[in-house]
């Protein structure tokens, strides 16, 4: 018996098995978030195939490693409130590389003429935009790990001082994330690869014009992703005055705002997208407003107090014969200062060998973190200035300062010192070094060991003539115990401003330099 099929039943069957019409939107039945994350992972791997990312990512690793493992002696005493800022410059070239490569990746379909094929895919255009933005996240995470390792390496050193800022450390990873999202937004706004290089060049010239055309560009410069502010000597962390937390908030908001704009331009009109974009705008405005004001009057007063009357904010502790006064974050370095003082005093004669000194840490009187001001010498008897840096030739500079006070009585007396006492000072400062001639070059401004030059100290320095340099080098060639005995025996005459260089050389048992008629003139 045959079964008859009506025409209406046939039409229903055909309709049930037919594909949806091309002009009808296809809604995914699975999980859209999983699809977006899968595409983001794919695009993140694809970014490694671009030459700029492939080159600059290893270079960033290598440069950071070289800084950590091949640093000089000064790197053994890192100042953490400067180290955190130092992590912000390394990711810059990686960020620019991602800006260009993410932009090129988003425009790949346009270059290949395959934009029309996306219309038949399940994933909406705005989700693809979101996936491209998320592809930058792994690179921001890698940057954060490098930054954390770099800071931890410095913080774990025994000579580390100060306090780092999480907000400062976050700038590098946020900059990488921000520039990647900017590349996505530019691709949606201007679908041409030439937009990125034009933006980079334009931003550079704009920054130069802003820096040259304003006397107070605080709020303008803080609109940029990184603000390094270098030049000034290290300061206590509470005197920096950097709006780091507000700046990090500004970068987070700006990243969210650029992402929201890119998604909206790609057709994402959901209420949640609009709400998150509005929230990101509010966060960006709040961060920008918080970081815009310049240094407060309270900060300026605190800086003045620290530079002119540091005893009000310092603690002092006796070590041996002398007293050592330091800012709270540097209290752990007192033992290092005491070692230098005891070594210099071991070569001195007369009462200077047992002199009770006051070593006081001081900072320059500055108005901002880019001013390279010098510390003025003081007239206070038996007070020696030590700076906030240590390691490298900073120890030698401090040794010269200690010797200067032992010989002349106070720091200011050496500003225009123009006699043979310079020879005694340099012998006390460098006489116990394993290679005193090398140390002499290391403590002089031009790194020379001949002729006239300026010997560096934490304050103004000490001028050395050619004849004085010659006598000092002769002393370094002699056995230490013999010179030390002569210095102690003739201490009163060697520390007199009336003693000539010729007489000092005679007392020390070395050949006198040729007379010039003026021992302080450059021969």
């Amino acid at each position: 018996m045959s079964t008859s099929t009506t025409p209406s039943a046939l039409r229903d069957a055909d309709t049930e098995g037919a594909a949806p019409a091309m002009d009808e939107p296809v809604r995914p039945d699975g999980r859209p978030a999983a699809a977006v994350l899968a595409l983001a992972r794919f695009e993140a791997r694809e970014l490694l195939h671009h030459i700029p990312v492939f080159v600059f990512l290893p270079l960033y690793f290598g440069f950071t490693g070289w800084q950590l493992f091949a640093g000089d002696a000064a790197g053994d005493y890192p100042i953490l409130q400067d180290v955190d800022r130092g992590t912000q410059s390394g990711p810059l070239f990686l960020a620019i590389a991602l800006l260009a490569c993410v932009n090129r990746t988003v425009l790949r379909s346009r270059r290949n003429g395959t934009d029309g094929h996306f219309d038949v895919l399940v994933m909406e255009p705005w989700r693809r935009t979101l996936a491209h933005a998320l592809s930058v996240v792994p690179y921001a995470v890698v940057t954060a790990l490098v930054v954390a390792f770099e800071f931890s390496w410095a913080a774990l050193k025994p000579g580390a001082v100060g306090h780092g800022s999480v907000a400062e450390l976050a700038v590098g990873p946020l900059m990488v994330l921000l520039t990647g999202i900017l590349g996505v937004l530019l691709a949606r706004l201007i679908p041409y690869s030439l937009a990125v290089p034009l933006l980079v060049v334009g931003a550079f010239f704009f920054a130069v014009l802003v820096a040259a055309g304003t006397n107070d560009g605080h709020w303008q410069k803080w609109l940029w992703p990184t603000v390094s502010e270098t030049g000034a000597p290290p300061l206590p962390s509470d005197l920096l005055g950097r709006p780091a937390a507000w700046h990090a908030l500004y970068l987070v908001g700006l990243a969210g705002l650029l992402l929201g704009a890119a998604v909206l331009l790609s057709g994402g009109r959901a209420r949640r997208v609009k709400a998150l974009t509005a929230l990101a705008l509010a966060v960006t405005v709040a961060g920008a407003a918080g970081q815009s004001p310049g240094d407060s009057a309270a900060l300026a007063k605190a800086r003045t107090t620290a530079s002119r009357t540091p005893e009000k904010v310092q603690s002092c502790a006796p070590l041996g014969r002398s007293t050592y006064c330091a800012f709270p974050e540097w209290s752990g370095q007192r033992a290092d200062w005491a070692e230098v003082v005891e070594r210099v005093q071991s070569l001195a004669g007369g009462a200077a060998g047992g002199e009770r000194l006051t070593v006081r840490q001081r900072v320059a009187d500055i108005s901002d973190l880019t001013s390279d001001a010098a510390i003025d010498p003081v007239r206070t008897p038996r007070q020696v200035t030590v700076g906030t840096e240590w390691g490298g030739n900073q120890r030698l500079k401090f040794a010269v300062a200690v010797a200067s006070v032992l010989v002349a009585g106070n720091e200011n007396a050496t500003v225009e010192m123009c006699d043979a006492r310079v020879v005694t000072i340099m012998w006390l400062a460098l006489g116990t070094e394993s290679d005193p001639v090398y140390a002499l070059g290391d403590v002089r401004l031009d790194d020379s060991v001949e002729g006239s030059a300026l010997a560096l100290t934490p304050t103004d320095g000490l001028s050395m003539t050619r004849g004085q340099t010659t006598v000092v080098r002769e002393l370094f060639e002699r056995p230490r115990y013999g010179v030390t005995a002569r210095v102690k025996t003739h201490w009163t005459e060697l520390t007199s401003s009336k003693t000539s260089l010729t007489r000092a050389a005679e007392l020390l048992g070395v050949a006198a330099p040729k007379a010039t008629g003026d021992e302080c003139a450059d021969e």
Side-chain angles (χ1 to χ4, degrees):
M1 182 176 178
S2 62
T3 304
S4 61
T5 304
T6 62
S8 61
L10 289 173
R11 286 195 301 271
D12 292 341
D14 290 341
T15 304
E16 183 179 353
M22 294 297 295
D23 58 349
E24 295 179 1
V26 180
R27 300 301 179 189
D29 295 328
R31 294 181 300 168
V36 171
L37 292 177
L39 180 57
R41 288 194 298 268
F42 171 80
E43 294 296 354
R45 291 193 299 268
E46 285 296 304
L47 285 173
L48 284 175
H49 297 165
H50 290 261
I51 292 178
V53 176
F54 181 78
V55 170
F56 283 109
L57 187 60
L59 280 179
Y60 174 42
F61 295 156
F63 178 72
T64 303
W66 177 80
Q67 284 186 311
L68 296 181
F69 296 101
D72 56 14
D76 294 332
Y77 299 88
I79 299 170
L80 299 183
Q81 55 262 35
D82 289 351
V83 172
D84 56 10
R85 278 182 288 160
T87 64
Q88 299 175 8
S89 58
L92 179 60
F93 288 106
L94 175 61
I96 295 176
L98 284 171
L99 170 65
C101 294
V102 171
N103 180 267
R104 184 171 176 80
T105 300
V106 177
L107 296 176
R108 181 177 53 215
S109 59
R110 179 182 177 86
R111 291 195 310 273
N112 297 336
T114 58
D115 274 338
H117 296 285
F118 286 131
D119 294 336
V120 301
L121 296 181
V122 173
M123 186 178 292
E124 299 96 322
W126 71 268
R127 294 188 189 275
R128 293 197 298 273
T129 296
L130 179 60
H132 281 294
L134 292 177
S135 70
V136 187
V137 172
Y139 297 92
V141 172
V142 169
T143 303
L145 292 176
V146 174
V147 167
F149 179 79
E150 186 177 358
F151 182 79
S152 300
W153 182 271
L156 292 175
K157 290 186 175 182
V161 298
H163 300 87
S165 167
V166 175
E168 295 281 15
L169 296 173
V171 169
L174 287 175
M175 177 174 59
V176 170
L177 182 64
L178 179 64
T179 52
I181 296 175
L182 179 59
V184 176
L185 176 60
L186 283 177
R188 296 309 184 202
L189 281 174
I190 309 172
Y192 299 98
S193 298
L194 190 61
V196 169
L198 289 178
L199 173 69
V200 173
V201 173
F204 173 77
F205 281 105
F206 180 75
V208 172
L209 290 175
V210 168
T214 180
N215 293 325
D216 184 14
H218 177 88
W219 72 269
Q220 296 102 320
K221 69 181 180 182
W222 279 96
L223 294 178
W224 296 97
T226 61
V227 185
S228 58
E229 289 188 318
T230 59
L235 292 176
S237 56
D238 58 344
L239 300 182
L240 296 180
R242 285 173 57 87
W246 286 112
H247 188 62
L249 182 67
Y250 164 73
L251 293 180
V252 169
L254 186 58
L257 179 61
L258 296 183
L259 177 58
V263 170
L264 290 173
L265 287 173
S266 301
R269 296 293 189 267
R271 184 177 301 173
R272 182 181 301 176
V273 173
K274 295 179 181 178
L276 291 177
T277 304
L279 177 62
L281 176 60
V283 171
T284 304
V285 172
Q291 70 185 11
S292 294
D295 296 337
S296 64
L299 176 63
K301 182 179 179 180
R303 286 176 174 174
T304 301
T305 299
S307 62
R308 299 181 185 179
T309 54
E311 62 275 6
K312 294 182 179 180
V313 291
Q314 289 180 342
S315 62
C316 299
L319 285 177
R321 291 182 295 268
S322 299
T323 301
Y324 300 85
C325 304
F327 294 108
E329 293 170 311
W330 277 266
S331 59
Q333 285 188 351
R334 291 190 179 109
D336 296 319
W337 304 339
E339 187 275 331
V340 174
V341 170
E342 291 174 3
R343 179 176 56 80
V344 173
Q345 283 191 301
S346 68
L347 301 180
E355 193 78 71
R356 296 182 180 274
L357 301 176
T358 298
V359 175
R360 185 171 299 282
Q361 191 174 41
R362 299 173 59 216
V363 294
D365 193 355
I366 64 170
S367 58
D368 56 65
L369 299 183
T370 61
S371 57
D372 187 12
I375 303 175
D376 294 327
V378 295
R379 298 178 182 272
T380 307
R382 298 182 297 280
Q383 177 174 312
V384 186
T385 295
V386 63
T388 51
E389 295 177 284
W390 196 251
N393 71 340
Q394 299 299 324
R395 179 178 59 84
L396 300 177
K397 292 164 65 175
F398 177 60
V400 175
V402 174
S404 299
V405 172
L406 290 177
V407 171
N410 66 79
E411 293 178 341
N412 193 70
T414 64
V415 173
E416 297 182 356
M417 181 176 287
C418 193
D419 51 66
R421 288 178 294 173
V422 172
V423 173
T424 307
I425 291 173
M426 298 309 294
W427 164 254
L428 296 180
L430 309 178
T432 58
E433 294 294 320
S434 58
D435 188 348
V437 175
Y438 177 82
L440 176 63
D442 202 20
V443 80
R444 288 175 30 133
L445 184 61
D446 60 356
D447 297 329
S448 67
V449 294
E450 296 179 352
S452 59
L454 180 70
L456 301 173
T457 69
T459 55
D460 280 351
L462 183 69
S463 297
M464 294 183 67
T465 66
R466 181 179 303 176
Q468 293 165 353
T469 303
T470 301
V471 173
V472 169
R473 286 198 58 184
E474 287 285 339
L475 293 178
F476 291 156
E477 299 295 333
R478 301 297 179 91
R480 182 185 305 167
Y481 63 88
V483 178
T484 303
R486 287 178 175 270
V487 168
K488 291 185 175 183
T489 300
H490 304 289
W491 178 257
T492 302
E493 195 169 357
L494 288 173
T495 56
S496 171
S497 60
K498 299 179 180 180
T499 302
S500 67
L501 182 59
T502 302
R503 176 57 179 166
E506 179 184 347
L507 294 174
L508 294 170
V510 298
K514 295 181 179 179
T516 62
D518 184 358
E519 293 178 347
C520 294
D522 188 7
E523 303 175 78

